[in-house]
Amino acid sequence: MTEKHDIVIVGGGPAGLAAAVAAYDAGVTDVVIIDREEAPGGVLRQCIHNGFGLHKLGRELTGPEYAAVYAAEAVKRGIRILRETMVTAVSPDREVTACSREGILKIEAGAVILAMGCRERSRGALNIGGTRPAGIFSAGTAQRLINCEGYMVGKKAVILGSGDIGLIMARRLTLEGAKVEAVCELMSYSGGLTRNIVQCLEDFDIPLYLSTTVKEIHGRDRLTGVTVVAVDESRRPVPGTERYIECDTLLLSCGLIPENELSLAAGIPLDTITGGALVDERRETEIPGIFACGNVLQVHDLVDYVSDEAELAGRSAAAFVRGEISQEKTVTVSAEKGIRYCLPQRVHTDAGKTELYMRVAAPAERVKIVARDGERVLLEANRRRVAPGEMEKITLTPEMISGAEEIRVSLEAWK
Ligand SMILES: Cc1cc2nc3c(=O)[nH]c(=O)nc-3n(C[C@H](O)[C@H](O)[C@H](O)COP(=O)(O)OP(=O)(O)OC[C@H]3O[C@@H](n4cnc5c(N)ncnc54)[C@H](O)[C@@H]3O)c2cc1C
């Protein structure tokens, strides 16, 4: 069976929902969202803590509440959401193939928005030595088991990785009666938001060991303990610093990987740093009519920014369907000294006000983000402190972009 729709959105998480609503409000009403889960909302359905929506909605909500706001907006507009339906292929000419209990569905789409989110890095990808007992979970799996399924994962835990999910789960386990012995972080700084370090670790006296990793896993049927070890600046274990911690649970919070298998199969070029598609200021990938937004494009720290980005992608897809696309040339945006990546990676010379999102390579104080075109300084933005866990953004005006040849962004000392 082949259907035709103006816009097909792959993924019904916060990104997919916000993109659908924005596309609809921009005048393209034939929008379909496809999600493999039984309900829309994506990962937010398992994030039952608060802290969502302060920036976007002006109030503090839990994850499911935040997702419900956008799901209700989609339903109000009559946007079709196909649940328990897995997209298995997207072709470069925008044919979307999906399967569900009803069978295989093919849709010819005017535009496609990719909003598939991320998955977590697993133990297999981390190469930790030792046995393979029960009791080792990715932090997100433990979050789902505890918050959605009602299962407690253990009594004494060590958490490897201090990204936001690890920090949130340290607090969650403590509130559920477990003892979190340690959060270990390979880097010399935490990858999480400062507010989460304070509210999830410091408020609960949970120790954070920086420059430390798990070297070995012990236990036969169930985990009995882990050996942790300090690492040097090159992240190599320092001999003699090994320490055994008794625990029955190890949570891994060691990074998110954008789910871009569909994008790769469609031939969409990806950025080696973000793991997401290379996009322009409208969030259009290098394949015309295919857009990307949310965590599948870049790992966001706050869902509020996911919604902002998705709304932009939704409006852009609507413009594409109406044939309103820029014919102007694009200039490259590149990240230099001190900046890990910058997104979008290219901007049309007739772009309006454009926000550049970026992450710094390492924590720093009293620095400025500088955007240059050749030797010409376009913009300088001072920051008292920056950290890789917190996304930065600067705004370029149309005047800065219109005559530029190549925009380069770097981090410099602020004297
Ligand atoms: C385990 C975990 C915990 C997190 N906890 C927090 C937190 O506490 N606070 C916070 O601010 N952020 C948290 N995040 C970040 C959070 O994921 C993002 O802020 C936000 O959910 C990203 O929205 P998204 O729509 O891009 O992706 P997601 O929420 O991941 O939604 C993607 C959707 O796409 C669907 N999908 C993917 N592939 C397909 C396919 N082929 N076919 C059909 N459907 C598909 C998925 O089922 C999912 O519903 C967490 C992320 C993870 C992975």
Side-chain angles (χ1 to χ4, degrees), residues 29-329:
T29 54
D30 179 16
V31 180
V32 178
I33 300 174
I34 305 179
D35 199 288
R36 61 191 172 194
E37 299 276 333
E38 69 277 12
V43 171
L44 292 195
R45 292 168 61 226
Q46 65 185 58
C47 301
I48 62 170
H49 52 280
N50 60 352
F52 299 87
L54 274 171
H55 154 79
K56 191 77 185 150
L57 304 173
R59 56 202 159 118
E60 199 175 21
L61 302 175
T62 63
E65 284 172 332
Y66 186 93
V69 169
Y70 283 88
E73 291 298 321
V75 169
K76 203 161 84 188
R77 286 162 180 76
I79 292 170
R80 196 167 144 216
I81 305 177
L82 300 178
R83 297 152 196 248
E84 297 185 314
T85 306
M86 172 95 182
V87 174
T88 53
V90 175
S91 74
D93 56 357
R94 304 187 293 281
E95 186 185 71
V96 176
T97 307
C99 64
S100 70
R101 285 200 197 100
E102 275 86 65
I104 304 282
L105 170 69
K106 285 194 183 286
I107 305 179
E108 285 172 21
V112 174
I113 302 178
L114 304 173
M116 293 89 75
C118 280
R119 63 167 174 269
E120 296 176 283
R121 189 161 282 128
S122 64
R123 177 184 172 184
L126 294 170
N127 285 328
I128 306 174
T131 51
R132 300 172 66 85
I136 304 166
F137 305 86
S138 72
T141 303
Q143 187 179 51
R144 188 180 173 119
L145 285 170
I146 296 173
N147 294 351
C148 302
E149 317 284 338
Y151 292 113
M152 188 53 182
V153 294
K155 294 185 178 133
K156 232 179 188 197
V158 168
I159 298 179
L160 178 59
S162 64
D164 289 314
I165 310 171
L167 300 177
I168 297 280
M169 284 312 293
R171 177 175 66 182
R172 187 89 211 116
L173 286 174
T174 308
L175 291 173
E176 292 296 335
K179 173 96 174 70
V180 179
E181 297 289 338
V183 175
C184 300
E185 169 58 57
L186 181 70
M187 307 301 283
S188 56
Y189 51 84
S190 165
L193 294 171
T194 309
R195 80 168 192 210
N196 281 338
I197 295 172
V198 174
Q199 293 174 7
C200 301
L201 297 190
E202 292 175 9
D203 287 358
F204 291 88
D205 291 328
I206 298 170
L208 169 64
Y209 299 108
L210 298 172
S211 300
T212 301
T213 191
V214 171
K215 186 182 162 197
E216 197 171 346
I217 285 165
H218 306 272
R220 213 176 82 90
D221 298 328
R222 176 82 195 192
L223 183 71
T224 51
V226 294
T227 301
V228 300
V229 65
V231 296
D232 62 18
E233 306 84 63
S234 316
R235 291 179 242 155
R236 277 189 307 250
V238 180
T241 60
E242 290 86 357
R243 190 159 61 91
Y244 180 78
I245 304 180
E246 194 187 307
C247 59
D248 60 19
T249 305
L250 174 67
L251 298 195
L252 303 172
S253 175
C254 302
L256 296 174
I257 302 166
E259 290 239 24
N260 269 307
E261 284 67 26
L262 290 177
S263 321
L264 279 172
I268 296 171
L270 302 186
D271 183 319
T272 49
I273 304 290
T274 60
L278 295 165
V279 290
D280 65 16
E281 78 283 0
R282 297 170 152 218
R283 303 302 183 263
E284 188 172 18
T285 67
E286 293 197 358
I287 298 203
I290 303 187
F291 298 77
C293 58
N295 272 14
V296 79
L297 183 59
Q298 59 175 330
V299 177
H300 288 261
D301 48 2
L302 293 175
V303 74
D304 305 58
Y305 296 138
V306 169
S307 305
D308 279 342
E309 182 170 83
E311 285 168 3
L312 172 58
R315 288 192 298 272
S316 304
F320 180 88
V321 167
R322 288 196 304 260
E324 298 162 7
I325 44 164
S326 174
Q327 304 297 336
E328 293 297 320
K329 68 166 188 153

